[in-house]
Amino acid sequence: MKKTFLILAAMLCCCFALKAQDFYCDGLKYSVLYDYLPAVKLVRCPPDFQAHDFVIPSTINHEGRTYIVRQIGEGAFENCGKLTGSLTIPNSVASIGNSAFAGCGALDGSLTIGNSVFRIGDYAFSHCGFGGTLIIGEFVGQIDYKAFEHTHFTQIISRCPSPPRLRSDAFPENFFLNEPVVPCGSGSDYKKASGWSQFRIIREDFVQFELTVTSANPDFGSASIDQTATCQNNGQVTVSATPAGNCMFTCWTENGEVVSTDNPYTFTLESDCNLVANFWEKKYIYEPIESLPSHISSNDIYVLGYQDGNNYYLHSSGTAAGEMKLSLYPANPVEYRFADFESSNLVFASCNINNNNKSLSITTQGVSLSPFNPFGGSTDPFALSITDGNISSAGSSGYTVCHNGNIITAHTGPSEGNLRFFKRIPLHYITLSVSPEETGTATATSGGETVQSAVEGTEITVSATPTEGYRFKNWTENGEVASTENPYTFTLTADRNLVANFYKPYDFSAICETGQTLYYRIIDAEQHWVSIVAPNSDNYLECYEGYTIPAGNISLPATVSHNEISYTVKAIGDCAFYSCSGLTGLLTIPNSVTNIGEGAFERCSGFTGSLTIPNSVTNIGETAFWYCSGFNGSLTIGSSVTN
């Protein structure tokens, strides 16, 4: 009896221990598969779980331990109606259980099944609404009974070099209207395989692996795929990077590791590949000098380099590692291998100059020196002695510059014959835009040449050209007016981000009942309100020479029609009739107007008789009727005027 009790107690302990293996992570329930391996089965999603374009996680963290998601259990997501869009099964998953996603009708996009999945269970995706592409992973070996019943994929791609075994009715009848795409050289096997032979056409293509390219910084440049992998080219692809402005391409990386500095880069696709194009924004130029000046400002930075023909390089000739050149002047994109030393706080050297004894010490700045130099020589910074600005001797003969723990280049010490000093000069960028969009263009020039950047101290001229119907207003920077001049010339001392602002003086014109052509700007499109404006500016400080209106009485309309829409005249804009001295006789302002702008009728000295401001007007701007000396009758101001 005691023995039986102990056995039962042990069994209960096992049950509780097993129960303790279940846990929740991000709302999903998981069960640990093995004691000796950190792997889990995704057991169940709660009824209220929702996600769009859901990607099953490949790993999860629980109580400080990382688990690999290896299985999706039976009915794990069955009838989870709040899963929408597409679904991706990661490469970590080996099996998908029976009815795992059955009844997920809101999944109406594409389905990607990872390369490690071997078995897809009965009814696994039955009654899902998929209508996009089905991608079957590389090692899927078996697709079970009615796994894809009542799905509606429009394209099928199988990455399996050997056709997966199809159990009875694995695919619905509508599947066989598709033309599945299979790996190169496997078409004949698929055409003979049970189930697959029901497809009338099976096409071969390079579908084993997927290539994506992105830019590390889209503002610095873009990346593109120039040649895709095909059966004919045996999976050979070509990618290219296009720098923006004065930026330069540095290298291609994958998972943070440099894979190539070629551009374009051609290689054979042998696995899924996610390439990132890296760029460098040039912040300085380096000007070669014959010798150091007798007195050097603390703000001046000089670096040591060498000259090779017409090209100048940072001094960095390696030995066993080969030669690595970083072109300084003139810049040659092909010879850049890593980001410039300043751009990643990787500065080759800073110079500590003593003007009294002409000594120069070059030390590293933002760079770690390797504690072990595999190329031999000292790891200490070297020193140079200078006599009358010329190099006379060199110190330590070898050192290694490292960045993020990786050896960038090994140095064997300077040689006196071709060493030069370079003065670092800041390079600033001019970024131009227009507002509103497509209302004009803006350009920056220096010395008659169009530029996007220039060294500090350069004289820059920016010009704005409006499109037809628009006029230039001003230049703004960070929301503040920088200039009203066009062209606008300035000395470059920092990056400039200028906006050329344009405006449309009026939206349409119409002839009023007294024969004058009046110009209107829509001020409220929803309520159909307009303002009478001058045809050539909205700035009352500007003159309107050449703006003439036929002489005589003028009766301003209360409404005006344009494109079969009736607009109400609600305002008379600033300087709308400024200096229209040819207007004579009476002026009639309609009862629809609520605002008379600044200088609206200033210097209209030809008006005579009386003037009545209607009751609808609430505001009369400064100098609205200034120098209207011809009025000789009565002035009536409506009761609603408050300003």
Side-chain angles (χ1 to χ4, degrees):
M1 180 67 182
K2 184 176 180 181
K3 184 177 180 180
T4 303
F5 175 78
L6 290 173
I7 293 172
L8 287 171
M11 291 177 64
L12 286 171
C13 288
C14 290
C15 290
F16 280 107
L18 182 61
K19 192 68 176 177
Q21 302 278 350
D22 293 349
F23 60 86
Y24 283 88
C25 182
D26 296 328
L28 300 176
K29 185 179 180 181
Y30 295 89
S31 178
V32 176
L33 291 171
Y34 319 104
D35 291 334
Y36 56 88
L37 189 68
V40 293
K41 176 195 293 187
L42 203 165
V43 178
R44 186 63 184 162
C45 75
D48 59 346
F49 184 81
Q50 59 183 7
H52 180 70
D53 292 343
F54 187 47
V55 179
I56 301 291
S58 57
T59 61
I60 57 171
N61 292 301
H62 178 65
E63 295 183 348
R65 192 178 190 189
T66 300
Y67 293 88
I68 301 171
V69 179
R70 291 292 290 163
Q71 298 178 14
I72 300 175
E74 182 174 334
F77 291 87
E78 188 172 5
N79 295 321
C80 285
K82 294 183 179 180
L83 283 179
T84 61
S86 297
L87 176 66
T88 300
I89 311 295
N91 289 337
S92 64
V93 173
S95 66
I96 301 171
N98 296 342
S99 302
F101 295 90
C104 294
L107 285 171
D108 56 3
S110 297
L111 171 62
T112 300
I113 298 174
N115 288 331
S116 297
V117 172
F118 178 78
R119 174 182 172 272
I120 301 173
D122 296 342
Y123 301 99
F125 298 97
S126 174
H127 288 83
C128 288
F130 292 116
T133 300
L134 168 62
I135 299 177
I136 301 172
E138 185 177 2
F139 295 108
V140 173
Q142 181 168 306
I143 301 175
D144 286 343
Y145 182 69
K146 294 190 175 182
F148 293 98
E149 180 187 30
H150 291 292
T151 58
H152 307 280
F153 291 103
T154 56
Q155 185 179 21
I156 301 171
I157 297 174
S158 175
R159 289 181 167 185
C160 303
S162 299
R165 180 187 176 192
L166 300 183
R167 298 289 297 274
S168 176
D169 297 325
F171 290 161
E173 287 297 323
N174 61 289
F175 260 44
F176 300 109
L177 299 176
N178 286 293
E179 298 178 4
V181 181
V182 300
C184 303
S186 64
S188 59
D189 291 338
Y190 273 84
K191 290 175 182 177
K192 292 183 291 185
S194 175
W196 293 96
S197 59
Q198 295 184 57
F199 290 99
R200 290 191 306 148
I201 299 175
I202 294 178
R203 296 185 294 111
E204 293 184 6
D205 205 346
F206 197 92
V207 295
Q208 294 94 318
F209 310 116
E210 185 176 358
L211 170 66
T212 60
V213 295
T214 56
S215 170
N217 190 328
D219 292 335
F220 289 1
S222 59
S224 61
I225 300 174
D226 298 338
Q227 176 179 289
T228 58
T230 65
C231 297
Q232 290 71 28
N233 64 23
N234 296 316
Q236 193 171 79
V237 296
T238 300
V239 296
S240 63
T242 305
N246 274 10
C247 297
M248 305 186 73
F249 168 76
T250 58
C251 59
W252 296 98
T253 56
E254 185 175 19
N255 299 322
E257 298 293 328
V258 176
V259 295
S260 177
T261 58
D262 293 340
N263 188 31
Y265 172 38
T266 299
F267 61 98
T268 300
L269 195 62
E270 297 178 338
S271 62
D272 288 344
C273 185
N274 300 298
L275 287 178
V276 177
N278 298 274
F279 301 92
W280 161 63
E281 182 183 23
K282 189 173 182 181
K283 296 180 180 179
Y284 305 96
I285 68 166
Y286 294 84
E287 184 177 272
I289 59 174
E290 294 298 327
S291 62
L292 292 171
S294 57
H295 294 282
I296 296 175
S297 167
S298 60
N299 295 324
D300 290 340
I301 295 180
Y302 293 82
V303 297
L304 187 66
Y306 71 94
Q307 181 177 356
D308 182 7
N310 293 324
N311 294 317
Y312 300 89
Y313 303 99
L314 172 70
H315 185 69
S316 58
S317 58
T319 53
E323 190 172 54
M324 179 71 72
K325 293 181 178 180
L326 290 177
S327 176
L328 291 179
Y329 181 91
N332 183 351
V334 175
E335 294 188 342
Y336 279 86
R337 294 296 182 264
F338 293 86
D340 177 75
F341 19 97
E342 282 83 14
S343 66
S344 300
N345 293 324
L346 182 60
V347 180
F348 165 69
S350 63
C351 300
N352 187 8
I353 299 167
N354 187 322
N355 285 312
N356 294 324
N357 59 17
K358 297 289 186 182
S359 66
L360 169 69
S361 297
I362 299 182
T363 58
T364 57
Q365 177 181 332
V367 178
S368 61
L369 293 178
S370 172
F372 171 70
N373 184 352
F375 305 106
S378 169
T379 60
D380 298 327
F382 66 87
L384 299 174
S385 297
I386 298 178
T387 303
D388 295 328
N390 298 314
I391 300 170
S392 59
S393 64
S396 301
S397 61
Y399 56 95
T400 301
V401 176
C402 296
H403 180 49
N404 291 338
N406 298 317
I407 294 176
I408 298 297
T409 178
H411 299 259
T412 56
S415 59
E416 296 183 23
N418 57 4
L419 280 175
R420 296 285 299 272
F421 283 106
F422 297 84
K423 182 177 181 180
R424 190 179 79 176
I425 303 175
L427 185 69
H428 299 305
Y429 290 83
I430 307 104
T431 303
L432 301 179
S433 57
V434 300
S435 179
E437 293 182 1
E438 300 181 359
T439 57
T441 58
T443 56
T445 59
S446 177
E449 299 291 331
T450 301
V451 294
Q452 293 178 318
S453 64
V455 297
E456 193 166 281
T458 302
E459 187 175 88
I460 301 294
T461 298
V462 290
S463 304
T465 304
T467 56
E468 185 176 355
Y470 287 86
R471 297 184 185 277
F472 171 77
K473 185 176 183 180
N474 57 26
W475 297 98
T476 55
E477 189 168 22
N478 299 322
E480 301 291 332
V481 176
S483 177
T484 58
E485 297 176 356
N486 188 31
Y488 167 39
T489 300
F490 55 88
T491 300
L492 194 61
T493 57
D495 291 348
R496 299 297 302 268
N497 192 340
L498 294 168
V499 180
N501 297 287
F502 301 96
Y503 69 93
K504 193 173 186 180
Y506 62 91
D507 293 303
F508 64 91
S509 62
I511 299 174
C512 66
E513 64 180 24
T514 49
Q516 295 89 0
T517 298
L518 301 179
Y519 299 86
Y520 300 90
R521 181 184 297 146
I522 299 172
I523 57 176
D524 191 320
E526 190 172 315
Q527 300 193 66
H528 300 163
W529 290 352
V530 294
S531 173
I532 299 175
V533 297
N536 56 350
S537 181
D538 63 352
N539 187 335
Y540 79 96
L541 294 177
E542 296 183 11
C543 291
Y544 298 96
E545 296 178 3
Y547 176 35
T548 59
I549 289 182
N553 298 338
I554 181 167
S555 178
L556 302 181
T559 61
V560 61
S561 293
H562 176 66
N563 289 341
E564 299 182 354
I565 297 175
S566 179
Y567 292 91
T568 301
V569 178
K570 297 293 287 184
I572 300 171
D574 294 345
C575 296
F577 297 92
Y578 179 92
S579 201
C580 291
S581 55
L583 288 173
T584 59
L586 301 176
L587 169 64
T588 303
I589 299 174
N591 206 31
S592 62
V593 172
T594 60
N595 181 72
I596 300 175
E598 297 180 358
F601 297 95
E602 185 176 339
R603 298 182 182 273
C604 292
S605 56
F607 286 129
T608 60
S610 299
L611 174 62
T612 298
I613 306 296
N615 288 329
S616 59
V617 174
T618 59
N619 178 73
I620 301 175
E622 292 182 9
T623 70
F625 296 94
W626 193 52
Y627 271 92
C628 292
S629 55
F631 285 119
N632 53 13
S634 61
L635 171 63
T636 303
I637 300 177
S639 59
S640 298
V641 175
T642 58
N643 183 38

